Amino acid sequence: MGSYNILRLDEVDSTNLYALRNLDTLTDGQVILAEKQTHGRGRFQRGWVSHVPNNLYMSIVLKPCRELNKSTPLASLTQYMALVICDILLFYGVEAGLKWPNDVLVRGSKIAGLLGESSTVGKCLKGFVLGAGINLNMTQGEIKSIDQPAVSLNLLTGSPVNRDDFLKALLTQFFSGYGLFMETGFSLIKEKFSKRSTFLGKKITITSLNSQISGLAGGYSDDGSLLLITEEGEEKEITTGDVLYP
Ligand code: BTN
């Protein structure tokens, strides 16, 4: 089992940016936890609401290898983490679903988002930063200020959530399966990830920065890409994008 260390910051622009700036000195397994982020970042240059006390804003520094090869499953580490979050939410009696690539939803509303970023020089990996924002303790008003359907764990359970307890359970479970995940890759979690998926078998549209494609969500490849069956019956492997479905 890998080990971790938590660095607690009162305020930072973004825990991911802090980790990326300090990668040379931060060691494998270092967790950066912030009370508040002034520039919390989401996927596709979006923001992440990050001023709420006792919510979870954190990044994990991972240095699994020096040299990257095709089978290093960095891109699907966020998917592994999304499943771990689902498992921890179950301890709180909350059943969550996964919206590819790595959003965690409860009844269609987002409770957690993940942002993975790597720093490389040629084939050499300086480090991978796995950022997680989890809505643990928010008011209805704070939830409504988010520009997409969202929910917070305290509102689902009806009581405040102890962030340290949640974080400890999350990191313990993450690191207990991390080594095997890095050896095996997405195929290790494909079945579990598929079962928790919100839109498999449905007609979906995937948008990315300047393109859009529709089809039937068929499943996942062994590296965590989405298999889309287009209206022409062609199977396409989609590696990035936002999914829309009814
Ligand atoms: C998304 O769903 O778009 C991803 C959101 C990721 C937010 C977390 S909060 C901690 C870490 N630091 C950041 O700036 N972003 C991630």
Side-chain angles (χ1 to χ4, degrees):
M1 173 175 141
S3 61
Y4 64 87
N5 223 322
I6 303 178
L7 171 67
R8 292 169 188 266
L9 302 174
D10 284 337
E11 184 176 304
V12 70
D13 50 357
S14 144
T15 54
N16 268 38
L17 287 178
Y18 179 95
L20 288 168
R21 277 195 302 269
N22 294 287
L23 261 186
D24 287 343
T25 50
L26 294 172
T27 51
D28 185 32
Q30 181 70 59
V31 176
I32 318 294
L33 175 73
E35 290 303 323
K36 197 190 227 193
Q37 300 183 114
T38 53
H39 289 92
R41 294 154 67 236
R43 294 172 63 235
F44 297 123
Q45 322 293 337
R46 297 186 192 117
W48 185 260
V49 170
S50 299
H51 62 278
V52 179
N54 292 312
N55 251 359
L56 188 58
Y57 313 115
M58 67 122 181
S59 301
I60 310 176
V61 173
L62 298 167
K63 299 187 172 179
C65 56
R66 279 171 192 262
E67 200 158 298
L68 285 174
N69 63 51
K70 270 192 174 168
S71 61
T72 317
L74 285 189
S76 52
L77 262 171
T78 51
Q79 296 171 313
Y80 166 64
M81 177 55 117
L83 262 182
V84 172
I85 293 172
C86 288
D87 285 347
I88 304 307
L89 288 173
L90 263 189
F91 296 156
Y92 290 79
V94 171
E95 180 89 38
L98 294 171
K99 182 178 167 215
W100 181 92
N102 50 44
D103 283 351
V104 184
L105 310 180
V106 178
R107 293 190 289 276
S109 296
K110 187 154 161 175
I111 192 164
L114 298 162
L115 180 66
E117 298 181 277
S118 45
S119 171
T120 52
V121 180
K123 275 191 167 179
C124 179
L125 177 70
K126 286 180 70 186
F128 181 79
V129 175
L130 175 51
I134 311 181
N135 300 335
L136 294 185
N137 290 294
M138 296 181 87
T139 62
Q140 288 284 6
E142 286 160 346
I143 282 291
K144 291 219 170 77
S145 74
I146 297 177
D147 60 0
Q148 58 179 311
V151 71
S152 178
L153 184 54
N154 63 311
L155 299 176
L156 295 168
T157 61
S159 48
V161 177
N162 182 308
R163 186 186 56 192
D164 281 352
D165 289 350
F166 189 99
L167 181 61
K168 189 173 176 200
L170 185 72
L171 293 173
T172 303
Q173 174 130 344
F174 176 85
F175 281 107
S176 72
Y178 169 71
L180 185 61
F181 179 78
M182 291 310 286
E183 277 168 29
T184 321
F186 183 81
S187 59
L188 180 73
I189 59 167
K190 185 158 105 172
E191 196 182 327
K192 209 171 157 191
F193 194 93
S194 304
K195 280 197 182 130
R196 286 211 169 273
S197 289
T198 50
F199 58 68
L200 286 189
K202 291 191 178 159
K203 192 168 180 257
I204 60 169
T205 298
I206 304 166
T207 58
S208 60
L209 287 178
N210 43 22
S211 68
Q212 178 164 316
I213 181 167
S214 296
L216 198 75
Y220 303 106
S221 68
D222 279 346
D223 66 0
S225 304
L226 177 64
L227 300 175
L228 185 80
I229 300 141
T230 65
E231 273 143 31
E232 294 74 39
E234 201 187 329
E235 184 173 271
K236 283 198 184 281
E237 275 197 33
I238 312 288
T239 56
T240 184
D242 269 331
V243 177
L244 303 171
Y245 58 96

